[in-house]
Every structure is written in structure tokens, then in C-alpha cells.
Amino acid sequence: QVQLVESGGGSVPAGGSVRLSCAASEFTKRLTCMGWFRQAPGKEREGVAVIATAGGNTRYADSVEGRFTISLDNAKNTVYLQMNTLEPEDSAMYYCAADRRLWTGGCRPIMSQFNSWGQGTQVTVSS
């Protein structure tokens, strides 16, 4: 499994922006999919955004489409999540995830498609 370390979380007011980073312990080109998930207290972990390391195809949860952007810097082995126009409902622990397997249909924001996880970084959005 690849080691993943997230950073960039914090507390922001509603309408603000945060950029999360996730550094991988190996070349991201050796991975197939990277993504971000989040989990709020009392709720299940949900997919937020994913990106294919080859080609850069992205997919987003409906709740963040148009507000969040996932990107990948293969030279730095780092994936980012730019979060804009944040809402209190976006408050959660955000987890980075990665996988090496090839998936029919490409990368999707579902937990079963990822077998490496970071420790998480907290994002709190105040109203």
C-alpha cells in the first residue's frame, strides 16, 4: 500500500476556500486512481472527487460539483482538492485515497475502489 499524508485543513467561514494536499510515498504515475473522501460525525464516509493518474479524468459528487476541483501534480506525487464557496455542510474529516488497480469504467468516488488511505485532515466551516 502507498502511504498518504494529507495537509491543509482548518476552520473557515461559510463562503471561504481551502486547499487540501495529499503527498504520496511513491510515484503517482504508478497508481491508477487518487481521490478525496469525507466523513462527518455520525455519517458514513462518502466520495468527494477522484482523478485518474493517467489522463486526468475527474469525477465529483453532485454536492460539490462546480465548487471543488481535484488536481494532480505527478512531478510532486501530490493530489490537491481546491474547495471554494464552502458551506457548513462541507465540514468533515477529509481523507485522501489511492489505488493501483485498473477499473472498468474508470475511477469512481466509491470506497471499494481504493485500498490506501491517509489519516485525514479536518475541515470546519462556520456559518
Side-chain angles (χ1 to χ4, degrees):
Q1 294 185 351
V2 60
Q3 302 301 311
L4 303 168
V5 179
E6 304 99 332
S7 61
S11 297
V12 295
S17 298
V18 169
R19 189 177 82 154
L20 305 181
S21 300
C22 171
S25 62
E26 64 180 73
F27 295 125
T28 50
K29 288 184 177 181
R30 293 179 180 172
L31 307 171
T32 53
C33 303
M34 296 193 75
W36 290 94
F37 290 72
R38 67 185 181 186
Q39 187 168 19
K43 295 187 177 181
E44 294 186 352
R45 193 172 297 189
E46 62 175 354
V48 175
V50 297
I51 186 167
T53 61
N57 290 339
T58 59
R59 286 182 176 173
Y60 297 90
D62 290 342
S63 59
V64 306
E65 183 83 53
R67 299 188 298 124
F68 291 11
T69 302
I70 188 170
S71 61
L72 176 66
D73 187 337
N74 281 319
K76 296 182 178 180
N77 299 318
T78 299
V79 64
Y80 303 95
L81 184 68
Q82 178 67 44
M83 304 188 292
N84 298 328
T85 321
L86 283 162
E87 304 168 352
E89 294 73 24
D90 295 317
S91 297
M93 185 72 78
Y94 282 73
Y95 297 91
C96 179
D99 202 81
R100 293 191 183 92
R101 294 167 287 183
L102 290 174
W103 296 96
T104 301
C107 305
R108 292 178 291 166
I110 55 176
M111 290 183 61
S112 60
Q113 208 171 71
F114 294 86
N115 61 7
S116 295
W117 295 86
Q119 294 299 308
T121 185
Q122 179 69 38
V123 174
T124 302
V125 184
S126 58
S127 57

